[in-house]
Amino acid sequence: MDTTRHNWTREEILEIYNKPFMDLLYEAATVHRQNHDPNTVQVSTLLSIKTGGCSEDCGYCPQAARYHTNVEGNDLMSVSQVKAQAMRAKEAGSSRVCMGAAWRNVKDGQEFDDVLEMVRTINRLGLEVCCTLGMITENQAKRLAEAGLYAYNHNLDSSEEYYKEVISTRGYQDRLDTIENVRKTAVTVCSGGIIGMGESAEDRAGMLVALSTLNPQPESVPINALVPVEGTPMAKQKQVSIWEMVRMIATTRIVMPETQVRLSAGRTQMSREGQAMCFFAGANSIFAGDKLLTTPNPDVNEDMEMFKTLGLNPQKPFVKKAQPQTVDAENSEYRALGEKPRWTRPGHIIERNLAAQGKSKA
Ligand code: SF4
């Protein structure tokens, strides 16, 4: 019987988030122990298979073409390059490879066919495969599932209200629709967000309402601390404190007890003690590798040393769900439909995004 609640309100979540710190930590650690092995942490490797040159205006992202950052764009990696990197990730102890492409949405064609081949290749290596490719249609989600995809990542980023302060080129509902398209397949959902973008505690709670009221809740929820990058609209944002990060992780753990909560971007700025507190509060997944798409991340060896110090063990692949079958391209049930879905473009004015492009309303 599913005992997970899907009717959390913003007020209830805020109340949890604002509890005295020790009470919050204790409650979250208790929920964590009831639902997970507290000494096991899932390790994922994030591979940027297509970097930069993105048409979107996400205010936190150095890959948006319109901002002047130091990110060098790359075309889509080849299947053999991806295979080599996935093998290295496996040797280093990762159970999951997450491939990220800086696209607004997936378009049918050679590049998507290549991504499908990458999914088949990594699944055959015995690793969980995740993709984050932007918005996808139901048919595209089905094709990914058939190739052997284990998880699809599509972050909500923030509350619906604050999302409008961050991105003007797409709408929140498109995010939810993509998640729903993934849910029409056996692929698991990975969706979370970022704190430290200037949002309030109410917005953080609002994002957790949006995620926890999904039924089923996402199987994994990444919580990122903004890494402010020069040239982006959020370059001058103050670093989020470890206390806020622990509060966010603990609250996520309490409202989504069975989810794998991923301690994602921003770990470089955290001490090992801070990270240990996050694991105690219910984080049970990290990204390994010295880069997270384009921003720095702790070295794999440093992470393994930290695991040793804390007595943590990396989670084996397919512990939570059986390995999907991979169907070869020639035996596929689905064909590319060449759809032209109408994903929205709200186009409202976000002053700080315009200022970072060197434009202003005035
Ligand atoms: S977050 Fe993704 S969609 Fe937004 S600008 Fe960056 S790469 Fe593009």
Side-chain angles (χ1 to χ4, degrees):
M1 196 179 69
D2 180 13
T3 51
T4 303
R5 275 187 59 187
H6 299 279
N7 59 352
W8 289 100
T9 66
R10 191 177 291 229
E11 293 67 34
E12 285 174 319
I13 294 180
L14 256 185
E15 202 177 304
I16 297 172
Y17 182 86
N18 287 321
K19 273 187 182 208
F21 191 76
M22 295 307 165
D23 291 349
L24 175 62
L25 211 55
Y26 183 73
E27 187 180 333
T30 307
V31 172
H32 187 47
R33 277 160 189 268
Q34 285 162 353
N35 292 279
H36 303 268
D37 171 356
N39 296 317
T40 298
V41 171
Q42 189 225 3
V43 181
S44 299
T45 293
L46 187 52
L47 268 187
S48 185
I49 57 170
K50 192 266 165 197
T51 309
C54 184
S55 60
E56 303 294 274
D57 75 337
C58 309
Y60 50 80
C61 184
Q63 300 198 66
R66 62 188 74 203
Y67 307 135
H68 312 285
T69 63
N70 288 330
V71 168
E72 275 181 40
N74 287 110
D75 291 341
L76 187 67
M77 279 167 71
S78 67
V79 178
S80 58
Q81 280 173 319
V82 167
K83 183 176 182 183
Q85 299 232 23
M87 285 166 73
R88 267 205 293 280
K90 187 177 179 180
E91 269 166 40
S94 281
S95 62
R96 180 181 292 193
V97 170
C98 181
M99 296 187 278
W103 289 330
R104 168 175 165 81
N105 60 287
V106 169
K107 295 192 182 90
D108 291 340
Q110 189 57 50
E111 291 198 319
F112 186 44
D113 290 348
D114 288 351
V115 172
L116 293 171
E117 199 48 39
M118 292 171 195
V119 172
R120 292 185 193 102
T121 305
I122 302 175
N123 190 44
R124 287 196 178 112
L125 290 175
L127 290 163
E128 295 172 8
V129 197
C130 175
C131 281
T132 182
L133 312 169
M135 280 122 25
I136 55 170
T137 64
E138 185 181 335
N139 184 59
Q140 290 165 340
K142 285 182 173 157
R143 294 178 74 202
L144 283 163
E146 195 197 42
L149 192 73
Y150 188 88
Y152 194 83
N153 166 270
H154 202 58
N155 288 335
L156 291 185
D157 290 346
S158 192
S159 68
E160 183 164 10
E161 298 79 9
Y162 199 72
Y163 192 80
K164 297 189 182 85
E165 307 288 323
V166 179
I167 299 153
S168 75
T169 53
R170 55 165 194 249
Y172 210 69
Q173 190 55 47
D174 289 341
R175 313 298 284 171
L176 295 169
D177 291 348
T178 288
I179 291 173
E180 209 180 297
N181 287 338
V182 175
R183 275 288 176 229
K184 289 175 185 154
T185 71
V187 174
T188 61
V189 169
C190 172
S191 184
I194 308 172
I195 66 168
M197 300 189 292
E199 76 290 335
S200 63
E202 283 76 10
D203 289 314
R204 292 176 189 173
M207 179 181 89
L208 293 182
V209 169
L211 292 169
S212 64
T213 52
L214 293 172
N215 193 359
Q217 293 179 340
E219 284 80 357
S220 75
V221 172
I223 301 293
N224 297 277
L226 177 76
V227 178
V229 178
E230 207 43 53
T232 63
M234 295 188 185
K236 299 285 176 273
Q237 278 296 321
K238 216 172 108 242
Q239 192 75 48
V240 77
S241 80
I242 187 67
W243 310 111
E244 289 172 277
M245 195 64 185
V246 175
R247 278 190 183 281
M248 191 63 187
I249 287 191
T251 311
T252 307
R253 166 54 65 227
I254 293 167
V255 300
M256 290 180 268
E258 288 173 44
T259 291
Q260 295 229 238
V261 180
R262 184 165 306 123
L263 178 56
S264 301
R267 277 202 306 125
T268 321
Q269 284 75 23
M270 287 177 207
S271 67
R272 284 191 181 178
E273 293 84 344
Q275 292 181 61
M277 218 163 19
C278 291
F279 294 131
F280 188 69
N284 59 350
S285 177
I286 57 164
F287 275 123
D290 59 1
K291 254 194 177 177
L292 266 194
L293 294 178
T294 59
T295 53
N297 196 48
D299 185 79
V300 181
N301 296 332
E302 278 176 44
D303 282 336
M304 288 308 137
E305 254 181 57
M306 175 176 70
F307 272 34
K308 213 167 142 201
T309 307
L310 301 176
L312 296 174
N313 304 305
Q315 182 178 298
K316 298 204 164 36
F318 312 113
V319 173
K320 303 274 176 186
K321 196 166 189 248
Q323 181 171 12
Q325 298 273 320
T326 279
V327 175
D328 285 325
E330 51 275 23
N331 299 326
S332 175
E333 257 190 62
Y334 302 97
R335 59 193 176 84
L337 299 177
E339 301 161 283
K340 299 221 174 339
R342 292 214 188 102
W343 301 111
T344 59
R345 238 177 231 285
H348 54 280
I349 301 233
I350 304 177
E351 275 299 344
R352 64 181 168 181
N353 289 10
L354 289 180
Q357 294 170 54
K359 291 183 195 164
S360 148
K361 201 170 57 162

